[in-house]
Amino acid sequence: FYHEMRTEEAFRKALECFQKAVEIDSGYALAYSGIADIYFYLGVYKYDDYNASIEKAKEAAKKASDIDDSSADVQNTLGLLSGIDLHYEEAERHYKQAIELNPRYAPARHSYSYLLSHLGRHEEAIHQATTALELDPLSEPMTRGDQRQL
Protein backbone atom coordinates (compact mmCIF):
# COMPACT_ATOMS: atom_id res chain seq x y z
CA PHE A 1 0.00 0.00 0.00
CA TYR A 2 2.63 2.54 1.07
CA HIS A 3 4.98 1.53 -1.73
CA GLU A 4 2.41 2.50 -4.35
CA MET A 5 1.79 5.98 -2.89
CA ARG A 6 5.20 7.12 -4.19
CA THR A 7 5.81 9.83 -1.60
CA GLU A 8 8.82 10.11 0.67
CA GLU A 9 6.72 9.59 3.79
CA ALA A 10 5.00 6.55 2.29
CA PHE A 11 8.30 5.03 1.13
CA ARG A 12 9.72 5.39 4.62
CA LYS A 13 6.60 3.77 6.13
CA ALA A 14 6.84 0.93 3.59
CA LEU A 15 10.51 0.44 4.47
CA GLU A 16 9.59 0.27 8.15
CA CYS A 17 6.94 -2.38 7.40
CA PHE A 18 9.27 -4.48 5.25
CA GLN A 19 12.03 -4.27 7.87
CA LYS A 20 9.58 -5.40 10.55
CA ALA A 21 8.63 -8.35 8.32
CA VAL A 22 12.24 -9.54 8.05
CA GLU A 23 12.66 -9.14 11.82
CA ILE A 24 9.75 -11.54 12.20
CA ASP A 25 10.88 -13.88 9.41
CA SER A 26 14.45 -13.48 8.15
CA GLY A 27 13.68 -15.97 5.36
CA TYR A 28 10.94 -13.87 3.78
CA ALA A 29 12.27 -13.13 0.29
CA LEU A 30 9.41 -10.81 -0.68
CA ALA A 31 10.13 -8.52 2.26
CA TYR A 32 13.78 -8.23 1.20
CA SER A 33 12.61 -7.56 -2.34
CA GLY A 34 10.34 -4.83 -0.98
CA ILE A 35 13.23 -3.32 0.96
CA ALA A 36 15.32 -3.32 -2.21
CA ASP A 37 12.52 -1.63 -4.17
CA ILE A 38 12.10 1.06 -1.53
CA TYR A 39 15.82 1.83 -1.38
CA PHE A 40 15.82 1.93 -5.19
CA TYR A 41 13.07 4.55 -5.20
CA LEU A 42 14.52 6.52 -2.29
CA GLY A 43 17.67 6.89 -4.37
CA VAL A 44 16.04 7.46 -7.75
CA TYR A 45 13.63 10.06 -6.37
CA LYS A 46 16.61 11.62 -4.57
CA TYR A 47 14.99 11.40 -1.13
CA ASP A 48 18.27 9.87 0.08
CA ASP A 49 21.82 9.73 -1.22
CA TYR A 50 21.56 7.97 -4.58
CA ASN A 51 24.69 5.80 -4.35
CA ALA A 52 24.08 4.74 -0.75
CA SER A 53 20.45 3.89 -1.49
CA ILE A 54 21.28 1.84 -4.57
CA GLU A 55 23.96 -0.05 -2.61
CA LYS A 56 21.41 -0.87 0.12
CA ALA A 57 18.94 -1.92 -2.59
CA LYS A 58 21.50 -4.30 -4.08
CA GLU A 59 22.26 -5.82 -0.67
CA ALA A 60 18.57 -6.45 0.01
CA ALA A 61 17.99 -7.79 -3.51
CA LYS A 62 20.86 -10.26 -3.08
CA LYS A 63 19.30 -11.51 0.16
CA ALA A 64 15.94 -11.88 -1.60
CA SER A 65 17.52 -13.72 -4.51
CA ASP A 66 19.54 -16.00 -2.22
CA ILE A 67 16.33 -16.96 -0.42
CA ASP A 68 14.04 -17.36 -3.47
CA ASP A 69 15.04 -16.37 -6.98
CA SER A 70 11.91 -18.03 -8.37
CA SER A 71 9.72 -15.10 -7.33
CA ALA A 72 8.40 -12.67 -9.93
CA ASP A 73 8.80 -9.86 -7.40
CA VAL A 74 12.45 -10.73 -6.83
CA GLN A 75 13.16 -11.01 -10.55
CA ASN A 76 11.51 -7.63 -11.16
CA THR A 77 13.67 -6.06 -8.45
CA LEU A 78 16.78 -7.60 -9.99
CA GLY A 79 15.69 -6.17 -13.34
CA LEU A 80 15.36 -2.66 -11.88
CA LEU A 81 18.83 -2.85 -10.38
CA SER A 82 20.40 -4.29 -13.53
CA GLY A 83 18.83 -1.51 -15.57
CA ILE A 84 20.06 1.19 -13.24
CA ASP A 85 23.58 -0.16 -13.78
CA LEU A 86 23.01 -0.04 -17.56
CA HIS A 87 23.14 -3.84 -17.84
CA TYR A 88 20.21 -3.89 -20.21
CA GLU A 89 20.45 -7.50 -21.42
CA GLU A 90 20.54 -8.70 -17.83
CA ALA A 91 17.61 -6.44 -16.92
CA GLU A 92 15.60 -7.80 -19.83
CA ARG A 93 16.38 -11.35 -18.78
CA HIS A 94 15.10 -10.63 -15.26
CA TYR A 95 11.92 -8.97 -16.52
CA LYS A 96 11.20 -11.86 -18.88
CA GLN A 97 11.79 -14.30 -16.03
CA ALA A 98 9.42 -12.34 -13.79
CA ILE A 99 6.74 -12.41 -16.48
CA GLU A 100 7.29 -16.11 -17.11
CA LEU A 101 6.99 -16.83 -13.39
CA ASN A 102 3.83 -14.73 -13.07
CA PRO A 103 2.31 -13.53 -16.37
CA ARG A 104 -0.25 -11.47 -14.40
CA TYR A 105 2.36 -9.47 -12.43
CA ALA A 106 1.77 -5.94 -13.75
CA PRO A 107 4.79 -4.26 -12.09
CA ALA A 108 7.22 -6.40 -14.10
CA ARG A 109 5.42 -5.49 -17.30
CA HIS A 110 5.54 -1.78 -16.44
CA SER A 111 9.25 -1.98 -15.64
CA TYR A 112 9.96 -3.99 -18.76
CA SER A 113 8.01 -1.49 -20.88
CA TYR A 114 10.27 1.35 -19.70
CA LEU A 115 13.37 -0.64 -20.52
CA LEU A 116 12.03 -1.52 -23.98
CA SER A 117 11.16 2.11 -24.66
CA HIS A 118 14.62 3.21 -23.53
CA LEU A 119 16.08 0.71 -25.98
CA GLY A 120 13.96 2.14 -28.80
CA ARG A 121 11.70 -0.92 -28.97
CA HIS A 122 8.56 1.16 -28.69
CA GLU A 123 5.99 -1.27 -30.10
CA GLU A 124 7.08 -3.93 -27.62
CA ALA A 125 7.05 -1.31 -24.85
CA ILE A 126 3.49 -0.28 -25.69
CA HIS A 127 2.43 -3.94 -25.69
CA GLN A 128 3.91 -4.53 -22.22
CA ALA A 129 2.44 -1.32 -20.78
CA THR A 130 -0.98 -2.03 -22.28
CA THR A 131 -0.91 -5.59 -20.97
CA ALA A 132 0.03 -4.34 -17.49
CA LEU A 133 -2.93 -1.97 -17.45
CA GLU A 134 -5.28 -4.65 -18.75
CA LEU A 135 -4.13 -7.01 -15.99
CA ASP A 136 -4.34 -4.39 -13.28
CA PRO A 137 -6.01 -1.10 -14.23
CA LEU A 138 -5.02 0.42 -10.89
CA SER A 139 -1.35 -0.53 -11.18
CA GLU A 140 1.05 2.37 -11.13
CA PRO A 141 3.64 2.79 -13.79
CA MET A 142 6.72 4.64 -12.60
CA THR A 143 6.32 8.36 -12.12
CA ARG A 144 8.33 11.52 -11.52
CA GLY A 145 10.81 10.77 -14.28
CA ASP A 146 12.30 7.68 -12.63
CA GLN A 147 11.84 5.70 -15.83
CA ARG A 148 14.70 7.73 -17.32
CA GLN A 149 16.98 6.00 -14.84
CA LEU A 150 16.29 2.53 -16.25
Side-chain angles (χ1 to χ4, degrees):
F1 171 77
Y2 294 112
H3 177 276
E4 294 303 317
M5 293 174 73
R6 308 286 170 116
T7 66
E8 181 177 7
E9 182 180 351
F11 282 139
R12 295 200 188 283
K13 183 65 176 171
L15 182 60
E16 182 182 311
C17 292
F18 286 129
Q19 288 171 331
K20 183 69 171 171
V22 297
E23 286 175 23
I24 293 168
D25 181 358
S26 63
Y28 190 24
L30 294 180
Y32 283 110
S33 180
I35 290 169
D37 287 349
I38 297 302
Y39 278 126
F40 171 86
Y41 286 113
L42 286 171
V44 168
Y45 286 179
K46 304 202 183 329
Y47 293 135
D48 283 341
D49 177 75
Y50 176 83
N51 291 325
S53 292
I54 296 302
E55 189 58 37
K56 289 176 185 177
K58 289 177 182 180
E59 290 170 13
K62 178 162 182 5
K63 287 179 185 176
S65 181
D66 287 347
I67 294 167
D68 182 8
D69 69 348
S70 67
S71 160
D73 295 76
V74 172
Q75 289 298 319
N76 185 58
T77 298
L78 294 171
L80 288 171
L81 293 168
S82 296
I84 205 85
D85 283 341
L86 308 181
H87 299 143
Y88 299 134
E89 288 180 17
E90 185 178 326
E92 182 170 17
R93 182 176 52 79
H94 287 299
Y95 293 139
K96 285 181 173 180
Q97 181 68 24
I99 292 166
E100 182 178 315
L101 288 165
N102 184 353
R104 301 192 57 79
Y105 185 56
R109 291 184 180 274
H110 282 302
S111 299
Y112 188 28
S113 73
Y114 285 115
L115 174 67
L116 290 167
S117 182
H118 177 76
L119 297 175
R121 294 161 54 188
H122 302 297
E123 292 299 320
E124 292 173 84
I126 291 168
H127 171 73
Q128 290 299 328
T130 302
T131 301
L133 290 173
E134 288 171 355
L135 291 170
D136 184 357
L138 300 178
S139 66
E140 282 286 321
M142 287 182 242
T143 58
R144 294 192 51 189
D146 51 331
Q147 67 272 11
R148 288 176 280 151
Q149 298 293 322
L150 300 179

